[in-house]
Amino acid sequence: MLFAATPDVTTPIHQFIDGFNVGDTKSGLAAYAAGDITIVDEFAPHRWEGAHAAQDWASDYDKHAQASGISDGIVKYRTPTRTEIEGDVAYVILPTTYLYKEHGAAMIEQGQMTFVLHNEQGGWKIRAWTWSGEKPHAAK
């Protein structure tokens, strides 16, 4: 069954990233589908799965940032380079730039996020995502 409440498949992606950028965890978490989620990211333990994966990732990101001296993290994104929609599932690749400070030094990492979404009551929701990026380096 298809639902049309949120016709733009990128709406929950923007909601998640924009929530992250302003520290609005509640808004960011609302972009996820109910049930099992999978997240793959560059910091340990690198993979989060299950019904609380998004919350666990957010908690682990905060712990990693504190332990590593990371602050002011934001993700800038551009127009998707690929969007595939087949029925009630979608696959979206989004070019990204992760900007942050590490012990006060400005850092940058070019990358991309790949999302899997599910169209359910209430619109498209994130079912999985992965971050792939170059080695972070000092911003110029």
Side-chain angles (χ1 to χ4, degrees), residues 59-138:
S59 176
D60 287 346
Y61 174 85
D62 287 342
K63 290 175 194 170
H64 167 74
Q66 289 176 9
S68 303
I70 293 173
S71 64
D72 302 323
I74 63 165
V75 175
K76 293 186 177 185
Y77 53 86
R78 296 178 295 287
T79 303
T81 55
R82 183 173 179 186
T83 302
E84 303 291 337
I85 300 173
E86 296 181 37
D88 64 351
V89 294
Y91 175 85
V92 179
I93 299 175
L94 193 69
T96 56
T97 303
Y98 177 43
L99 303 163
Y100 62 97
K101 291 182 181 172
E102 186 172 342
H103 301 290
M107 301 292 287
I108 187 169
E109 180 179 353
Q110 299 293 333
Q112 66 181 19
M113 296 178 80
T114 302
F115 289 88
V116 174
L117 299 103
H118 182 248
N119 194 9
E120 50 192 52
Q121 192 167 12
W124 289 102
K125 297 289 184 174
I126 299 168
R127 175 71 61 204
W129 64 264
T130 186
W131 167 266
S132 300
E134 65 183 16
K135 185 97 170 146
H137 57 276

Side-chain angles (χ1 to χ4, degrees), residues 2-13:
L2 293 178
F3 301 97
T6 307
D8 184 354
V9 72
T10 63
T11 297
I13 296 170

